[in-house]
Amino acid sequence: MGRAPCCDKNGLKKGPWTPEEDQKLIDYIQKHGYGNWRTLPKNAGLQRCGKSCRLRWTNYLRPDIKRGRFSFEEEETIIQLHSILGNKWSAIAARLPGRTDNEIKNYWNTHIRKRLLRMGIDPVTHSPRLDLLDLSSILGNSSLYNTTASSQMNMPSLLGLQPMVNPDFLKLATSLLSSTQNPNPSSSLIQDLNLSAQIQSGLSPLVQTSQIQAPIQTPVPSCTTMTTTATATTTDTSRVSPSVPFFNEAQLMDQPTSFGQYPSNNDMTDFGDQTFDQWQSQEFLSSSEGLVGSNPILGYCGGSHHTFMDPSISDNSNFGSNTTSTGGGQQSYVNFAPSVMSTPSSSPTVDERESYCSENMMMINKFEIPDFLDVNQFMLAQTNC
DNA sequence: AAACGCCCCAACCGCGCCTAG
DNA sequence: GCTAGGCGCGGTTGGGGCGTT
């Protein structure tokens, strides 16, 4: 249907901002604040449209913007949030203090998306790309085949892992997809509202949801790109997510501490004696006691039970050695990413991360999705509870 | 040193949502 | 209920920087 331009473009400047323009905008906003972007440029003496001013301010000039490279944990967060929220960059940015939606979007498109593709993971659905089920292409494209770890793998057993995706898992994904594509948007809204109400009334939606999902006894691999296989099938419809820490957007928004407040980039090394994994585990476990058994997803590449790994993979994997000691009770979790994350100097290479996640890809066929798990029922239960 | 190609990211564009009149 | 304006969001683009040949 179109709409009128946001402003009269005649005589308005476009393109890169000059330092003088920046200063004018900063001065004006510091003095008057921002509010009416339409009139702001005129009042500030800028030959720009309000939209341009807003963009410049929110994406660049804002004082609380954190610049510089994304930390590994920020990257993890982005991937995890994207698996839930899809391309809702503003919502993702809201969980990453100091980062703008534009910045995150750019980072996703230029770095993360490519890496996921290299890993054979669909960056949209966060599920293994079915067109890559051809093992030769996987081996050809993935570093899995090139890493020391994989070179030590038992390749026959690897081949025996086909099909890559458990048919039950695909069934669940398909079912979820059809459910989430329900044209009635009010149902998901109701779910959001209900969960919000649960949170506000002190009931843990995590626990409640875990009860619903109790039939799923098998932990989902930690790699978020895997955990969301059955849930993030579309960008906007994955509101109920039985296999990820956030079950829907409402919960995400209502519990800003669950992710947004973990130590930021600036103090990423300051976990005390904790690894990030431990910290992250505590964060989730503290709000969802008893959930571990049914939902041990603690973060992207952050927690998967060894018991569900193919021994031929895990035993020979370099990530075994990479599983730095988390001390005591955490040993049942692969502790790759966060443990290295806590020591930036030993940040994993892209290849290492890919290899690790590729291993998790291999684990997906281990899932046992009970036939009696009716996703539609699950959705209905969410709506009715 | 020059040419070329690729990558990154700031900025723009178009659309949808919300709200006031 | 309709319309127009304001705002925000997501997708796209193009120019500069950088690496390679």
Side-chain angles (χ1 to χ4, degrees):
Chain A
M1 49 185 172
R3 46 174 291 116
C6 69
C7 50
D8 180 10
K9 297 192 173 185
N10 291 336
L12 293 182
K13 193 177 172 211
K14 288 167 56 176
W17 281 63
T18 65
E20 291 76 23
E21 287 177 313
D22 283 346
Q23 198 54 51
K24 275 186 181 178
L25 183 57
I26 292 170
D27 289 344
Y28 181 85
I29 290 178
Q30 279 178 347
K31 199 175 288 184
H32 302 94
Y34 55 88
N36 191 338
W37 290 109
R38 196 175 179 81
T39 59
L40 185 148
K42 189 179 171 186
N43 296 335
L46 288 162
Q47 299 296 311
R48 296 270 182 175
C49 78
K51 208 172 187 177
S52 181
C53 293
R54 178 173 56 81
L55 238 68
R56 183 64 178 172
W57 175 257
T58 56
N59 288 338
Y60 201 84
L61 297 176
R62 240 174 48 202
D64 57 332
I65 284 183
K66 183 201 298 180
R67 310 208 70 85
R69 290 182 62 84
F70 281 75
S71 68
F72 186 24
E73 67 217 40
E74 282 179 309
E75 194 173 310
E76 282 190 357
T77 305
I78 292 170
I79 294 171
Q80 181 135 19
L81 291 173
H82 184 273
S83 72
I84 303 164
L85 299 169
N87 291 358
K88 293 186 175 178
W89 305 117
S90 60
I92 295 173
R95 311 293 303 183
L96 287 167
R99 299 295 187 181
T100 70
D101 54 353
N102 205 38
E103 197 177 9
I104 293 169
K105 181 174 59 182
N106 283 333
Y107 190 71
W108 176 271
N109 286 329
T110 56
H111 293 94
I112 301 175
R113 187 174 169 277
K114 289 177 184 174
R115 189 182 311 147
L116 292 180
L117 285 171
R118 278 202 306 271
M119 290 159 57
I121 293 167
D122 189 328
V124 177
T125 63
H126 290 248
S127 59
R129 292 171 61 192
L130 299 183
D131 59 324
L132 290 181
L133 287 181
D134 175 3
L135 190 59
S136 61
S137 66
I138 293 173
L139 296 178
N141 292 333
S142 168
S143 62
L144 171 68
Y145 188 66
N146 299 319
T147 60
T148 307
S150 60
S151 67
Q152 294 173 348
M153 281 183 188
N154 182 343
M155 291 309 290
S157 73
L158 189 62
L159 293 168
L161 289 177
Q162 288 190 350
M164 293 284 290
V165 181
N166 186 320
D168 288 334
F169 209 62
L170 285 177
K171 194 167 73 178
L172 174 62
T174 306
S175 180
L176 251 179
L177 177 61
S178 62
S179 301
T180 55
Q181 285 178 338
N182 185 335
N184 176 14
S186 62
S187 63
S188 57
L189 178 63
I190 291 170
Q191 290 158 15
D192 287 354
L193 293 174
N194 279 335
L195 277 166
S196 298
Q198 289 165 15
I199 293 164
Q200 286 163 8
S201 66
L203 293 173
S204 167
L206 292 170
V207 173
Q208 293 198 356
T209 312
S210 72
Q211 290 167 347
I212 294 170
Q213 66 184 101
I216 307 179
Q217 294 296 330
T218 307
V220 184
S222 61
C223 184
T224 297
T225 54
M226 297 298 108
T227 65
T228 57
T229 298
T231 60
T233 47
T234 63
T235 55
D236 286 344
T237 55
S238 54
R239 290 177 181 270
V240 176
S241 177
S243 60
V244 291
F246 308 118
F247 297 101
N248 63 13
E249 295 170 36
Q251 183 183 348
L252 203 58
M253 298 310 166
D254 288 346
Q255 293 189 318
T257 57
S258 59
F259 244 87
Q261 295 182 5
Y262 67 68
S264 66
N265 188 31
N266 295 334
D267 50 14
M268 62 181 288
T269 59
D270 189 21
F271 293 103
D273 293 333
Q274 287 183 315
T275 64
F276 177 76
D277 194 22
Q278 287 171 311
W279 172 86
Q280 197 177 31
S281 301
Q282 289 168 8
E283 281 294 299
F284 284 116
L285 293 178
S286 63
S287 62
S288 56
E289 282 293 328
L291 188 58
V292 180
S294 60
N295 194 344
I297 312 307
L298 301 176
Y300 176 65
C301 294
S304 62
H305 282 95
H306 281 197
T307 51
F308 291 93
M309 295 184 69
D310 184 332
S312 66
I313 295 174
S314 61
D315 288 351
N316 295 326
S317 167
N318 268 1
F319 292 96
S321 59
N322 226 341
T323 307
T324 50
S325 170
T326 57
Q330 293 291 328
Q331 291 186 352
S332 61
Y333 294 101
V334 174
N335 199 29
F336 161 64
S339 60
V340 246
M341 185 191 334
S342 62
T343 53
S345 61
S346 62
S347 290
T349 66
V350 170
D351 280 351
E352 284 171 334
R353 296 189 209 174
E354 286 181 11
S355 175
Y356 175 74
C357 289
S358 296
E359 287 171 16
N360 275 340
M361 265 184 76
M362 298 305 166
M363 291 153 56
I364 199 167
N365 79 322
K366 296 286 187 183
F367 295 145
E368 304 271 343
I369 307 297
D371 285 332
F372 58 82
L373 175 60
D374 184 318
V375 177
N376 289 320
Q377 267 184 351
F378 172 79
M379 304 285 280
L380 192 62
Q382 282 286 302
T383 306
N384 294 333
C385 68

